[in-house]
């Protein structure tokens, strides 16, 4: 199944180009682009959504949670990304490495490890069908 997800994601990645949102000020921090969405036919009420996240050099996401129903698998496509979920110690993930987030997890750290090179990851969500708010920034 993972191979099928990556194959489908890679095909869609090749043709997707419009960003969903960009965070950060004043410089662009991250760009999130949808690459794949499909209902999972053998898991009632669930959908699979894949997003490409590109961090500019020095870019970061604010501390956040995801939709309560979301199980997330993150795979680094290029560069190096520093990530910490819940009480984990921040860890540098390099191209080809991955991590996962359980539903309700607190993603405290998510940033590009480099100040000079961009970094890219593929985030694969299994969520309740119709879920639209995938990222819930922490309150200020």
């Amino acid at each position: 199944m993972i191979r099928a997800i990556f194959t489908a994601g890679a095909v869609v990645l090749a043709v997707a180009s419009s960003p969903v949102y960009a965070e950060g000020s004043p410089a662009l921090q991250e760009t999130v682009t949808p690459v794949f969405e499909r209902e999972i036919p053998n898991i009632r009420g669930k959908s699979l959504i894949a997003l490409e996240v590109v961090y500019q050099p020095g870019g970061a996401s604010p501390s956040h949670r995801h939709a309560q129903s979301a199980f997330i698998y993150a795979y680094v496509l290029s560069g190096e990304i520093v990530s910490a979920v819940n009480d984990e110690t921040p860890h540098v993930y390099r191209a080809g490495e991955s991590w996962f987030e359980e539903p309700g997890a607190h993603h405290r750290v998510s940033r590009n490890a480099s100040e000079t090179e961009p970094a890219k990851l593929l985030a694969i969500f299994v969520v309740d069908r119709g879920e639209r708010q995938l990222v819930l920034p922490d309150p200020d």
Side-chain angles (χ1 to χ4, degrees):
M1 171 142 180
I2 294 295
R3 183 178 298 268
I5 291 168
F6 282 120
T7 301
V11 168
V12 180
L13 263 175
V15 297
S17 62
S18 61
V20 175
Y21 67 84
E23 293 289 336
S25 177
L28 179 67
Q29 297 283 306
E30 67 178 355
T31 302
V32 179
T33 305
V35 295
F36 183 81
E37 181 173 354
R38 179 162 175 132
E39 292 181 6
I40 303 173
N42 60 339
I43 305 176
R44 185 183 353 200
K46 295 292 182 180
S47 291
L48 181 78
I49 298 173
L51 304 173
E52 177 192 62
V53 181
V54 177
Y55 289 102
Q56 297 305 313
S61 298
S63 182
H64 60 276
R65 295 179 188 275
H66 293 283
Q68 191 61 34
S69 68
F71 175 84
I72 302 150
Y73 175 77
Y75 181 83
V76 180
L77 297 168
S78 64
E80 298 179 342
I81 295 174
V82 179
S83 180
V85 177
N86 295 327
D87 294 329
E88 294 175 342
T89 301
H91 179 80
V92 177
Y93 294 91
R94 293 168 177 79
E97 296 181 329
S98 62
W99 71 90
F100 66 90
E101 297 178 41
E102 298 281 356
H106 186 209
H107 200 163
R108 298 180 303 106
V109 178
S110 185
R111 64 178 171 80
N112 187 341
S114 174
E115 294 291 328
T116 60
E117 299 294 325
K120 185 186 314 183
L121 70 86
L122 181 65
I124 301 169
F125 290 70
V126 176
V127 294
D128 286 347
R129 184 175 297 147
E131 185 69 62
R132 290 289 159 235
Q133 188 171 3
L134 299 178
V135 178
L136 307 162
D138 288 349
D140 290 336

